[in-house]
Amino acid sequence: MSSFRWIFMALLLFSTLLSACSPQEPMSETPRLEHSVTAFFEELDAENMFTSIEELTKEPRLTGTESEKQAASFLADQLESYGYTVNVQSFEFEKYRAPTSLRLMVDGFNGTLSPAAFQFSVSGQVTGEIVEAGFGLESDYNDIDVAGKIAIVAAERTSFHELVRNAGHAGAAAIIIYFPKGYPINRWSLGKHDNAFIPALALSYNEGRAVLDHMKTDVPIKGTVTIEGSRIDKAESQNLIALKQPDFKTAKSKEIITIGAHYDSVQQAPGASDNASGTAVVLELARALRDVPTHKEIRFLFFGAEEVGLLGSEYYVSTLSKKDSKHSVAMFNLDMVGSSDAGKLAIQTVDGTANTVTKAASKAYEELHGHSVSIDTGARSDHTPFQKAGIDAALFIYYPLEEWYHSPDDTIDKISKEKLLNVAKIVGKSALELTASHNTDY
Ligand SMILES: [Zn+2]
């Protein structure tokens, strides 16, 4: 390289340094961030969120059905109208059909028995001796013989899935799970289908204890478990993915901030709170953040099949490349964020401890409300697969839940625009803070 070139390079560098300090250049990070947050707040519109909920709640968005697909295409159209390219990520899953009938008969027992099935209880008819197996843990089967028999266990120490698997592995042909005192036995799930499953029934505490008392009077006692009509069909659901690329390139601009919500609902529930509310907020965040310059990618996700076991979010996480997984530094999950009958805004993490998301959100919450927000434990939504993959994640939810949750009464007239706007502000502001390049040491 000639000396002339060196002088030229030095001049170029000098002029670059000069222009970096000139007043026409962008502001320093903090005022720019404040400016971004203000612009974002001005853009947010509660009416938009309400209108989206209206559209989404015209009918239940039952997982794996045409109406779930229609909701997805409404969301895709909206996102495209904001200027996003939408990636539709389809996946197959095993859809469970509930039993058409179930019965439990116990020889010589005179009381009434009203068992319930679990979601994913398999069909079958089993007659055999009923054997008490404690809490249904693996060790509870060490000294008893349940081969071909019906195990009866207390649901206290481990998941229903585990209870059914353990009994099956020990050779039991069916299992009765009785619940702790006062717990309703309907609408529980075994999580997902498992080939090791045996027919499983839920019993109330009182009925479970009554059967155990009856077993003391005359040993052995036989019973019959009958579950008919449950089956597994193939179905399809889909996630939607929309990216807002970073506007500035910095050392941290490969990082990804994820904001997501599930849009499917349960049978017969219009799902206004669960979860047209979270869906509508994420949609509005995508619109209002569209033109706010950021240093990192913001990825907006809409999950299908949450209600049948977090399948959409699990699938999305399983398809993340190693690089994208490493760069995903924060995941905000919004589920049930608009009910006027629910409690205060709460932030839940899988293990109840603080992480990147809760720290950013606590700061935003305090700045907006002047007091702190509670961080609790909760794993029953789409943040869980992210956290399990090592991505800091948290759920935003108004808690305690409204009592009409998962019912036909989950309708739009019970949605609070104020609550929608509140969570939109906190999540959007936190996300903007995390996308500021100087602000990554959470
Ligand atoms: Zn939900």
PDB file of all heavy atoms in Angstrom, residues 2-3 6 81-82 86 97 103 105 148 167 179 193 207 237 276 317 337 350 367 383 385 402 405 408 419 427 434:
ATOM      1  N   SER A   2       0.566   2.204  -0.882  1.00  0.00           N
ATOM      2  CA  SER A   2       1.411   3.407  -0.991  1.00  0.00           C
ATOM      3  C   SER A   2       1.120   4.372   0.153  1.00  0.00           C
ATOM      4  O   SER A   2       0.079   4.303   0.800  1.00  0.00           O
ATOM      5  CB  SER A   2       1.155   4.112  -2.327  1.00  0.00           C
ATOM      6  OG  SER A   2      -0.104   4.762  -2.254  1.00  0.00           O
ATOM      7  N   SER A   3       2.118   5.289   0.364  1.00  0.00           N
ATOM      8  CA  SER A   3       1.948   6.238   1.463  1.00  0.00           C
ATOM      9  C   SER A   3       0.797   7.212   1.174  1.00  0.00           C
ATOM     10  O   SER A   3       0.100   7.674   2.041  1.00  0.00           O
ATOM     11  CB  SER A   3       3.239   6.997   1.701  1.00  0.00           C
ATOM     12  OG  SER A   3       3.583   7.687   0.521  1.00  0.00           O
ATOM     13  N   TRP A   6      -2.289   5.817   2.493  1.00  0.00           N
ATOM     14  CA  TRP A   6      -2.372   5.932   3.949  1.00  0.00           C
ATOM     15  C   TRP A   6      -2.939   7.285   4.360  1.00  0.00           C
ATOM     16  O   TRP A   6      -3.788   7.388   5.227  1.00  0.00           O
ATOM     17  CB  TRP A   6      -0.983   5.748   4.584  1.00  0.00           C
ATOM     18  CG  TRP A   6      -0.684   4.318   4.874  1.00  0.00           C
ATOM     19  CD1 TRP A   6       0.236   3.540   4.272  1.00  0.00           C
ATOM     20  CD2 TRP A   6      -1.344   3.508   5.836  1.00  0.00           C
ATOM     21  NE1 TRP A   6       0.227   2.282   4.770  1.00  0.00           N
ATOM     22  CE2 TRP A   6      -0.762   2.231   5.750  1.00  0.00           C
ATOM     23  CE3 TRP A   6      -2.365   3.717   6.745  1.00  0.00           C
ATOM     24  CZ2 TRP A   6      -1.153   1.173   6.548  1.00  0.00           C
ATOM     25  CZ3 TRP A   6      -2.768   2.670   7.549  1.00  0.00           C
ATOM     26  CH2 TRP A   6      -2.166   1.417   7.440  1.00  0.00           C
ATOM     27  N   SER A  81     -51.293  -6.461   5.685  1.00  0.00           N
ATOM     28  CA  SER A  81     -51.723  -5.069   5.456  1.00  0.00           C
ATOM     29  C   SER A  81     -50.829  -4.080   6.215  1.00  0.00           C
ATOM     30  O   SER A  81     -50.747  -2.917   5.860  1.00  0.00           O
ATOM     31  CB  SER A  81     -53.191  -4.885   5.848  1.00  0.00           C
ATOM     32  OG  SER A  81     -53.315  -4.805   7.252  1.00  0.00           O
ATOM     33  N   TYR A  82     -50.126  -4.553   7.258  1.00  0.00           N
ATOM     34  CA  TYR A  82     -49.180  -3.678   7.966  1.00  0.00           C
ATOM     35  C   TYR A  82     -47.811  -3.674   7.283  1.00  0.00           C
ATOM     36  O   TYR A  82     -46.892  -2.992   7.726  1.00  0.00           O
ATOM     37  CB  TYR A  82     -48.964  -4.113   9.425  1.00  0.00           C
ATOM     38  CG  TYR A  82     -50.220  -4.319  10.242  1.00  0.00           C
ATOM     39  CD1 TYR A  82     -50.225  -5.222  11.312  1.00  0.00           C
ATOM     40  CD2 TYR A  82     -51.392  -3.614   9.985  1.00  0.00           C
ATOM     41  CE1 TYR A  82     -51.370  -5.427  12.068  1.00  0.00           C
ATOM     42  CE2 TYR A  82     -52.536  -3.825  10.735  1.00  0.00           C
ATOM     43  CZ  TYR A  82     -52.518  -4.731  11.769  1.00  0.00           C
ATOM     44  OH  TYR A  82     -53.643  -4.938  12.515  1.00  0.00           O
ATOM     45  N   VAL A  86     -45.676 -12.861   5.897  1.00  0.00           N
ATOM     46  CA  VAL A  86     -46.094 -13.833   6.909  1.00  0.00           C
ATOM     47  C   VAL A  86     -45.673 -15.235   6.502  1.00  0.00           C
ATOM     48  O   VAL A  86     -45.933 -15.674   5.388  1.00  0.00           O
ATOM     49  CB  VAL A  86     -47.630 -13.785   7.109  1.00  0.00           C
ATOM     50  CG1 VAL A  86     -48.066 -14.797   8.152  1.00  0.00           C
ATOM     51  CG2 VAL A  86     -48.060 -12.383   7.501  1.00  0.00           C
ATOM     52  N   ARG A  97     -60.377 -37.496  20.391  1.00  0.00           N
ATOM     53  CA  ARG A  97     -61.848 -37.451  20.478  1.00  0.00           C
ATOM     54  C   ARG A  97     -62.249 -38.034  21.822  1.00  0.00           C
ATOM     55  O   ARG A  97     -61.843 -39.143  22.169  1.00  0.00           O
ATOM     56  CB  ARG A  97     -62.500 -38.294  19.387  1.00  0.00           C
ATOM     57  CG  ARG A  97     -62.004 -37.973  18.000  1.00  0.00           C
ATOM     58  CD  ARG A  97     -62.828 -36.889  17.356  1.00  0.00           C
ATOM     59  NE  ARG A  97     -62.212 -36.447  16.122  1.00  0.00           N
ATOM     60  CZ  ARG A  97     -62.554 -35.365  15.461  1.00  0.00           C
ATOM     61  NH1 ARG A  97     -63.508 -34.582  15.927  1.00  0.00           N
ATOM     62  NH2 ARG A  97     -61.950 -35.038  14.355  1.00  0.00           N
ATOM     63  N   ARG A 103     -67.750 -45.905  32.434  1.00  0.00           N
ATOM     64  CA  ARG A 103     -68.388 -46.477  33.616  1.00  0.00           C
ATOM     65  C   ARG A 103     -67.328 -47.074  34.534  1.00  0.00           C
ATOM     66  O   ARG A 103     -66.291 -47.555  34.081  1.00  0.00           O
ATOM     67  CB  ARG A 103     -69.339 -47.631  33.220  1.00  0.00           C
ATOM     68  CG  ARG A 103     -70.689 -47.190  32.707  1.00  0.00           C
ATOM     69  CD  ARG A 103     -71.603 -48.399  32.432  1.00  0.00           C
ATOM     70  NE  ARG A 103     -70.996 -49.411  31.573  1.00  0.00           N
ATOM     71  CZ  ARG A 103     -70.901 -49.301  30.245  1.00  0.00           C
ATOM     72  NH1 ARG A 103     -71.347 -48.217  29.632  1.00  0.00           N
ATOM     73  NH2 ARG A 103     -70.352 -50.266  29.537  1.00  0.00           N
ATOM     74  N   MET A 105     -67.529 -49.885  37.686  1.00  0.00           N
ATOM     75  CA  MET A 105     -68.333 -50.726  38.561  1.00  0.00           C
ATOM     76  C   MET A 105     -67.408 -51.420  39.542  1.00  0.00           C
ATOM     77  O   MET A 105     -66.342 -51.888  39.174  1.00  0.00           O
ATOM     78  CB  MET A 105     -69.099 -51.749  37.740  1.00  0.00           C
ATOM     79  CG  MET A 105     -70.203 -51.014  37.032  1.00  0.00           C
ATOM     80  SD  MET A 105     -71.348 -51.858  35.993  1.00  0.00           S
ATOM     81  CE  MET A 105     -70.925 -53.510  35.900  1.00  0.00           C
ATOM     82  N   GLY A 148     -52.252 -57.050  35.180  1.00  0.00           N
ATOM     83  CA  GLY A 148     -53.598 -57.356  34.680  1.00  0.00           C
ATOM     84  C   GLY A 148     -54.716 -56.824  35.562  1.00  0.00           C
ATOM     85  O   GLY A 148     -55.883 -57.104  35.321  1.00  0.00           O
ATOM     86  N   ALA A 167     -48.389 -46.858  36.104  1.00  0.00           N
ATOM     87  CA  ALA A 167     -49.272 -48.017  36.293  1.00  0.00           C
ATOM     88  C   ALA A 167     -49.128 -48.980  35.119  1.00  0.00           C
ATOM     89  O   ALA A 167     -49.032 -50.198  35.314  1.00  0.00           O
ATOM     90  CB  ALA A 167     -50.719 -47.544  36.425  1.00  0.00           C
ATOM     91  N   PHE A 179     -58.899 -37.780  43.341  1.00  0.00           N
ATOM     92  CA  PHE A 179     -58.367 -36.422  43.462  1.00  0.00           C
ATOM     93  C   PHE A 179     -58.275 -35.971  44.919  1.00  0.00           C
ATOM     94  O   PHE A 179     -58.941 -36.525  45.790  1.00  0.00           O
ATOM     95  CB  PHE A 179     -59.273 -35.458  42.674  1.00  0.00           C
ATOM     96  CG  PHE A 179     -58.932 -35.405  41.207  1.00  0.00           C
ATOM     97  CD1 PHE A 179     -58.790 -36.576  40.469  1.00  0.00           C
ATOM     98  CD2 PHE A 179     -58.720 -34.194  40.577  1.00  0.00           C
ATOM     99  CE1 PHE A 179     -58.455 -36.537  39.125  1.00  0.00           C
ATOM    100  CE2 PHE A 179     -58.388 -34.139  39.231  1.00  0.00           C
ATOM    101  CZ  PHE A 179     -58.256 -35.314  38.509  1.00  0.00           C
ATOM    102  N   HIS A 193     -50.968 -37.871  23.915  1.00  0.00           N
ATOM    103  CA  HIS A 193     -51.110 -39.315  23.767  1.00  0.00           C
ATOM    104  C   HIS A 193     -49.769 -40.023  23.968  1.00  0.00           C
ATOM    105  O   HIS A 193     -48.718 -39.507  23.608  1.00  0.00           O
ATOM    106  CB  HIS A 193     -51.667 -39.637  22.384  1.00  0.00           C
ATOM    107  CG  HIS A 193     -51.768 -41.103  22.141  1.00  0.00           C
ATOM    108  ND1 HIS A 193     -52.631 -41.903  22.848  1.00  0.00           N
ATOM    109  CD2 HIS A 193     -51.084 -41.924  21.302  1.00  0.00           C
ATOM    110  CE1 HIS A 193     -52.484 -43.157  22.455  1.00  0.00           C
ATOM    111  NE2 HIS A 193     -51.550 -43.197  21.514  1.00  0.00           N
ATOM    112  N   GLU A 207     -65.525 -40.257  46.573  1.00  0.00           N
ATOM    113  CA  GLU A 207     -65.822 -41.554  45.943  1.00  0.00           C
ATOM    114  C   GLU A 207     -64.594 -42.464  45.984  1.00  0.00           C
ATOM    115  O   GLU A 207     -64.707 -43.665  46.200  1.00  0.00           O
ATOM    116  CB  GLU A 207     -66.321 -41.339  44.508  1.00  0.00           C
ATOM    117  CG  GLU A 207     -67.698 -40.679  44.486  1.00  0.00           C
ATOM    118  CD  GLU A 207     -68.304 -40.549  43.096  1.00  0.00           C
ATOM    119  OE1 GLU A 207     -67.722 -41.068  42.119  1.00  0.00           O
ATOM    120  OE2 GLU A 207     -69.372 -39.913  42.990  1.00  0.00           O
ATOM    121  N   SER A 237     -52.694 -27.988  12.298  1.00  0.00           N
ATOM    122  CA  SER A 237     -52.806 -26.632  12.839  1.00  0.00           C
ATOM    123  C   SER A 237     -51.655 -25.818  12.261  1.00  0.00           C
ATOM    124  O   SER A 237     -50.849 -26.343  11.475  1.00  0.00           O
ATOM    125  CB  SER A 237     -52.743 -26.666  14.366  1.00  0.00           C
ATOM    126  OG  SER A 237     -52.840 -25.355  14.889  1.00  0.00           O
ATOM    127  N   ALA A 276     -58.311 -14.556  22.343  1.00  0.00           N
ATOM    128  CA  ALA A 276     -58.388 -13.499  21.324  1.00  0.00           C
ATOM    129  C   ALA A 276     -57.728 -12.241  21.892  1.00  0.00           C
ATOM    130  O   ALA A 276     -57.141 -11.446  21.143  1.00  0.00           O
ATOM    131  CB  ALA A 276     -59.843 -13.219  20.958  1.00  0.00           C
ATOM    132  N   VAL A 317     -40.530 -24.036  18.565  1.00  0.00           N
ATOM    133  CA  VAL A 317     -39.223 -24.123  19.246  1.00  0.00           C
ATOM    134  C   VAL A 317     -38.400 -25.273  18.654  1.00  0.00           C
ATOM    135  O   VAL A 317     -37.191 -25.143  18.452  1.00  0.00           O
ATOM    136  CB  VAL A 317     -39.402 -24.264  20.780  1.00  0.00           C
ATOM    137  CG1 VAL A 317     -38.095 -24.608  21.459  1.00  0.00           C
ATOM    138  CG2 VAL A 317     -39.976 -22.975  21.361  1.00  0.00           C
ATOM    139  N   VAL A 337     -55.394 -11.657  28.539  1.00  0.00           N
ATOM    140  CA  VAL A 337     -54.931 -10.336  28.959  1.00  0.00           C
ATOM    141  C   VAL A 337     -55.995  -9.247  28.771  1.00  0.00           C
ATOM    142  O   VAL A 337     -55.656  -8.091  28.581  1.00  0.00           O
ATOM    143  CB  VAL A 337     -53.644  -9.933  28.207  1.00  0.00           C
ATOM    144  CG1 VAL A 337     -52.473 -10.784  28.647  1.00  0.00           C
ATOM    145  CG2 VAL A 337     -53.828 -10.021  26.697  1.00  0.00           C
ATOM    146  N   VAL A 350     -41.762 -20.171  34.413  1.00  0.00           N
ATOM    147  CA  VAL A 350     -41.902 -21.608  34.660  1.00  0.00           C
ATOM    148  C   VAL A 350     -41.505 -21.968  36.096  1.00  0.00           C
ATOM    149  O   VAL A 350     -42.169 -22.765  36.752  1.00  0.00           O
ATOM    150  CB  VAL A 350     -41.068 -22.406  33.628  1.00  0.00           C
ATOM    151  CG1 VAL A 350     -41.005 -23.883  33.980  1.00  0.00           C
ATOM    152  CG2 VAL A 350     -41.651 -22.216  32.236  1.00  0.00           C
ATOM    153  N   GLU A 367     -42.226   2.057  35.964  1.00  0.00           N
ATOM    154  CA  GLU A 367     -42.193   3.395  35.358  1.00  0.00           C
ATOM    155  C   GLU A 367     -43.594   3.879  35.000  1.00  0.00           C
ATOM    156  O   GLU A 367     -43.901   5.058  35.094  1.00  0.00           O
ATOM    157  CB  GLU A 367     -41.284   3.389  34.115  1.00  0.00           C
ATOM    158  CG  GLU A 367     -39.809   3.413  34.507  1.00  0.00           C
ATOM    159  CD  GLU A 367     -38.865   3.124  33.352  1.00  0.00           C
ATOM    160  OE1 GLU A 367     -39.324   3.094  32.186  1.00  0.00           O
ATOM    161  OE2 GLU A 367     -37.666   2.888  33.628  1.00  0.00           O
ATOM    162  N   HIS A 383     -45.110 -19.962  26.858  1.00  0.00           N
ATOM    163  CA  HIS A 383     -43.749 -19.552  27.231  1.00  0.00           C
ATOM    164  C   HIS A 383     -42.925 -20.772  27.655  1.00  0.00           C
ATOM    165  O   HIS A 383     -41.706 -20.757  27.589  1.00  0.00           O
ATOM    166  CB  HIS A 383     -43.766 -18.523  28.361  1.00  0.00           C
ATOM    167  CG  HIS A 383     -44.531 -18.971  29.568  1.00  0.00           C
ATOM    168  ND1 HIS A 383     -45.857 -19.308  29.509  1.00  0.00           N
ATOM    169  CD2 HIS A 383     -44.148 -19.175  30.858  1.00  0.00           C
ATOM    170  CE1 HIS A 383     -46.253 -19.689  30.724  1.00  0.00           C
ATOM    171  NE2 HIS A 383     -45.243 -19.617  31.544  1.00  0.00           N
ATOM    172  N   PRO A 385     -42.354 -24.032  26.472  1.00  0.00           N
ATOM    173  CA  PRO A 385     -41.367 -24.664  25.580  1.00  0.00           C
ATOM    174  C   PRO A 385     -40.130 -23.784  25.338  1.00  0.00           C
ATOM    175  O   PRO A 385     -39.027 -24.305  25.159  1.00  0.00           O
ATOM    176  CB  PRO A 385     -42.149 -24.860  24.274  1.00  0.00           C
ATOM    177  CG  PRO A 385     -43.575 -24.897  24.681  1.00  0.00           C
ATOM    178  CD  PRO A 385     -43.686 -23.971  25.849  1.00  0.00           C
ATOM    179  N   GLU A 402     -60.729 -15.146  35.490  1.00  0.00           N
ATOM    180  CA  GLU A 402     -62.181 -15.002  35.525  1.00  0.00           C
ATOM    181  C   GLU A 402     -62.810 -16.390  35.612  1.00  0.00           C
ATOM    182  O   GLU A 402     -62.262 -17.345  35.061  1.00  0.00           O
ATOM    183  CB  GLU A 402     -62.648 -14.270  34.271  1.00  0.00           C
ATOM    184  CG  GLU A 402     -62.373 -14.992  32.942  1.00  0.00           C
ATOM    185  CD  GLU A 402     -60.951 -14.742  32.403  1.00  0.00           C
ATOM    186  OE1 GLU A 402     -60.116 -14.207  33.155  1.00  0.00           O
ATOM    187  OE2 GLU A 402     -60.692 -15.103  31.248  1.00  0.00           O
ATOM    188  N   TYR A 405     -63.856 -18.692  32.391  1.00  0.00           N
ATOM    189  CA  TYR A 405     -62.754 -19.173  31.553  1.00  0.00           C
ATOM    190  C   TYR A 405     -63.097 -20.549  30.956  1.00  0.00           C
ATOM    191  O   TYR A 405     -63.700 -21.371  31.638  1.00  0.00           O
ATOM    192  CB  TYR A 405     -61.512 -19.167  32.454  1.00  0.00           C
ATOM    193  CG  TYR A 405     -60.461 -20.202  32.271  1.00  0.00           C
ATOM    194  CD1 TYR A 405     -59.664 -20.224  31.139  1.00  0.00           C
ATOM    195  CD2 TYR A 405     -60.224 -21.131  33.266  1.00  0.00           C
ATOM    196  CE1 TYR A 405     -58.659 -21.152  30.997  1.00  0.00           C
ATOM    197  CE2 TYR A 405     -59.211 -22.061  33.143  1.00  0.00           C
ATOM    198  CZ  TYR A 405     -58.447 -22.076  32.000  1.00  0.00           C
ATOM    199  OH  TYR A 405     -57.462 -22.996  31.865  1.00  0.00           O
ATOM    200  N   PRO A 408     -68.767 -21.047  27.314  1.00  0.00           N
ATOM    201  CA  PRO A 408     -69.432 -20.228  26.282  1.00  0.00           C
ATOM    202  C   PRO A 408     -69.581 -18.759  26.710  1.00  0.00           C
ATOM    203  O   PRO A 408     -69.901 -17.912  25.893  1.00  0.00           O
ATOM    204  CB  PRO A 408     -70.807 -20.901  26.154  1.00  0.00           C
ATOM    205  CG  PRO A 408     -70.605 -22.287  26.650  1.00  0.00           C
ATOM    206  CD  PRO A 408     -69.576 -22.201  27.725  1.00  0.00           C
ATOM    207  N   LYS A 419     -57.440  -2.788  30.119  1.00  0.00           N
ATOM    208  CA  LYS A 419     -56.497  -3.874  30.421  1.00  0.00           C
ATOM    209  C   LYS A 419     -55.670  -4.247  29.192  1.00  0.00           C
ATOM    210  O   LYS A 419     -54.478  -4.537  29.294  1.00  0.00           O
ATOM    211  CB  LYS A 419     -57.250  -5.091  30.959  1.00  0.00           C
ATOM    212  CG  LYS A 419     -57.572  -4.952  32.445  1.00  0.00           C
ATOM    213  CD  LYS A 419     -58.215  -6.201  33.010  1.00  0.00           C
ATOM    214  CE  LYS A 419     -58.165  -6.162  34.532  1.00  0.00           C
ATOM    215  NZ  LYS A 419     -59.076  -7.115  35.167  1.00  0.00           N
ATOM    216  N   VAL A 427     -45.593  -4.569  27.544  1.00  0.00           N
ATOM    217  CA  VAL A 427     -44.827  -5.501  26.706  1.00  0.00           C
ATOM    218  C   VAL A 427     -44.070  -4.745  25.607  1.00  0.00           C
ATOM    219  O   VAL A 427     -42.884  -4.985  25.366  1.00  0.00           O
ATOM    220  CB  VAL A 427     -45.745  -6.599  26.110  1.00  0.00           C
ATOM    221  CG1 VAL A 427     -45.011  -7.434  25.074  1.00  0.00           C
ATOM    222  CG2 VAL A 427     -46.274  -7.493  27.228  1.00  0.00           C
ATOM    223  N   LEU A 434     -35.350  -3.686  25.340  1.00  0.00           N
ATOM    224  CA  LEU A 434     -34.436  -4.802  25.054  1.00  0.00           C
ATOM    225  C   LEU A 434     -33.824  -4.713  23.664  1.00  0.00           C
ATOM    226  O   LEU A 434     -32.775  -5.308  23.412  1.00  0.00           O
ATOM    227  CB  LEU A 434     -35.177  -6.145  25.202  1.00  0.00           C
ATOM    228  CG  LEU A 434     -35.535  -6.553  26.627  1.00  0.00           C
ATOM    229  CD1 LEU A 434     -36.359  -7.823  26.616  1.00  0.00           C
ATOM    230  CD2 LEU A 434     -34.284  -6.766  27.480  1.00  0.00           C
TER     231      LEU A 434
END
